[in-house]
Amino acid sequence: MEIAVLNTSGTETGKKVKLSETVFGVEPNDHAIYLDVKQYLANQRTGTHKAKEKSEVSGSTKKLHKQKGTGGARKGSIKSGTMVGGARIHGPRPRDYSFKLNKKLKQLARKSALTYKAKENNITVLESFNIDGPKTKQYLSILNNLKLNTEKTLLVIPDYNDNIYRSSRNLPKAKVMTAKDLNTYEILAANRLILVDSSVSVIEEILNSAK
């Protein structure tokens, strides 16, 4: 699959980039996508939620009344979970929600997501560019030239560029990340994937890596 390379003015440069069939033309695996997205979202959870249990609630441990003969239910102490102001029974505890996935499965998930974008013609290839300092207006003008200013976009660059990143971070629908950080969730979350031409080879090298 070949895609014309555009410049920041939105016009074709005359060059074309060939997208590898081993990355952008695989048989999509929806279950692999599901697992990779599930792992990504699980890893975002801090797991710091905590409720006080019986030993942690302040209050007297004195038995409220004798065990039998009152006609009411037996009560241990005011700290009991059945009492108002008492402890939380089986409350949440801090935990780690992350889990591991096989590397090949994660690669398959990313390939599947990229294949869907390619099939839907939602990939734009942009020639390498730079921005002189963090200038949101300049980055927005590039999106305007590409007619993507109203869409949710993900720009993939080969290496980290602080000026490009800082120029885009105030735009709610624009996101920038490096090729090595590309993940299934972000690919699918974007309406349009913008690949800098030099990032295509980096993506293909990472996803075709056997190690």
Side-chain angles (χ1 to χ4, degrees):
M1 180 180 183
E2 288 188 338
I3 296 182
V5 179
L6 306 180
N7 57 28
T8 54
S9 299
T11 57
E12 294 189 11
T13 60
K15 296 187 296 182
K16 288 190 176 182
V17 167
K18 186 174 182 179
L19 302 181
S20 172
E21 289 294 316
T22 60
V23 174
F24 296 89
V26 301
E27 182 66 34
N29 188 311
D30 291 343
H31 188 61
I33 290 176
Y34 160 74
L35 289 175
D36 200 18
V37 170
K38 182 180 178 181
Q39 186 202 45
Y40 175 85
L41 294 175
N43 290 345
Q44 308 308 303
R45 301 183 69 176
T46 57
T48 56
H49 47 303
K50 175 74 172 70
K52 287 187 177 182
E53 297 185 352
K54 193 171 181 180
S55 63
E56 300 167 315
V57 175
S58 62
S60 173
T61 57
K62 180 182 178 181
K63 190 170 177 63
L64 297 178
H65 55 69
K66 63 181 183 178
Q67 182 84 341
K68 297 179 182 293
T70 64
R74 54 193 174 184
K75 297 182 180 70
S77 78
I78 202 169
K79 295 166 66 173
S80 168
T82 59
M83 302 293 291
V84 175
R88 171 81 179 273
I89 300 174
H90 303 304
R93 296 180 177 182
R95 56 168 289 194
D96 182 10
Y97 285 91
S98 64
F99 60 94
K100 292 187 176 181
L101 288 178
N102 184 286
K103 181 181 176 181
K104 288 187 177 180
L105 186 143
K106 291 169 72 70
Q107 287 179 329
L108 176 59
R110 287 160 171 76
K111 289 178 180 179
S112 299
L114 290 169
T115 297
Y116 276 126
K117 289 297 179 187
K119 284 183 176 181
E120 296 163 358
N121 294 318
N122 282 331
I123 295 179
T124 298
V125 179
L126 192 65
E127 71 175 355
S128 298
F129 69 98
N130 198 10
I131 296 177
D132 301 326
K135 299 177 181 177
T136 303
K137 186 181 290 186
Q138 190 173 338
Y139 187 77
L140 184 58
S141 70
I142 294 174
L143 294 179
N144 285 330
N145 294 336
L146 297 173
K147 296 181 174 58
L148 297 175
N149 56 308
T150 59
E151 293 191 47
K152 192 173 182 182
T153 60
L154 173 63
L155 174 68
V156 184
I157 52 180
D159 299 299
Y160 180 75
N161 186 308
D162 191 60
N163 288 339
I164 294 178
Y165 170 74
R166 293 173 67 186
S167 297
S168 66
R169 65 181 179 179
N170 284 336
L171 300 173
K173 291 187 177 182
K175 187 155 192 175
V176 175
M177 63 172 33
T178 60
K180 68 180 181 65
D181 293 326
L182 191 62
N183 61 73
T184 305
Y185 178 85
E186 297 294 353
I187 294 170
L188 296 176
N191 300 124
R192 193 81 180 184
L193 196 61
I194 306 173
L195 305 178
V196 172
D197 55 358
S198 53
S199 69
V200 174
S201 59
V202 180
I203 294 171
E204 293 175 351
E205 182 181 353
I206 292 172
L207 295 184
N208 285 326
S209 170
K211 293 183 180 180

